[in-house]
Amino acid sequence: MKEYTNETLVSLACEARENAYCPYSGIAVGAALVTESGELFLGANAENAAFGPSICAERAAFAAALEARGIWPEMVDGGHVVLICTAQDG
């Protein structure tokens, strides 16, 4: 199992933040999610003019895990996940 330091996770979340689409708020957010088994998933926020269809970075990371595994991470790992987010204003 691969382990990540908090510093590494913050760095990865900052890298993920580069993929954010935030023309309305100007606040880019990145997330790094690590499952108990050491799998890493990244996400970034994506805004929509209607705001309802927008997705936060945390949900994007969970969606990446769902897409890769076909199930939610907590259903496999007993609910133990680490999620670190970083934000940067425009």
Side-chain angles (χ1 to χ4, degrees):
M1 173 178 88
K2 184 165 183 167
E3 294 188 21
Y4 297 90
T5 65
N6 285 342
E7 293 80 17
T8 299
L9 290 175
V10 168
S11 177
L12 289 165
C14 287
E15 288 179 29
R17 187 176 66 207
E18 296 300 318
N19 294 317
Y21 178 71
C22 51
Y24 306 103
S25 71
I27 300 173
V29 182
L33 181 149
V34 180
T35 66
E36 194 170 60
S37 62
E39 291 177 277
L40 173 70
F41 301 98
L42 304 176
N45 61 320
E47 296 178 349
N48 183 289
F51 284 104
S54 297
I55 186 167
C56 65
E58 304 92 286
R59 287 182 183 162
F62 272 99
L66 177 62
E67 180 181 346
R69 299 174 103 195
I71 52 174
W72 288 105
E74 68 269 21
M75 295 174 73
V76 172
D77 298 325
H80 298 102
V81 296
V82 174
L83 181 63
I84 292 184
C85 293
T86 63
Q88 181 177 15
D89 190 356

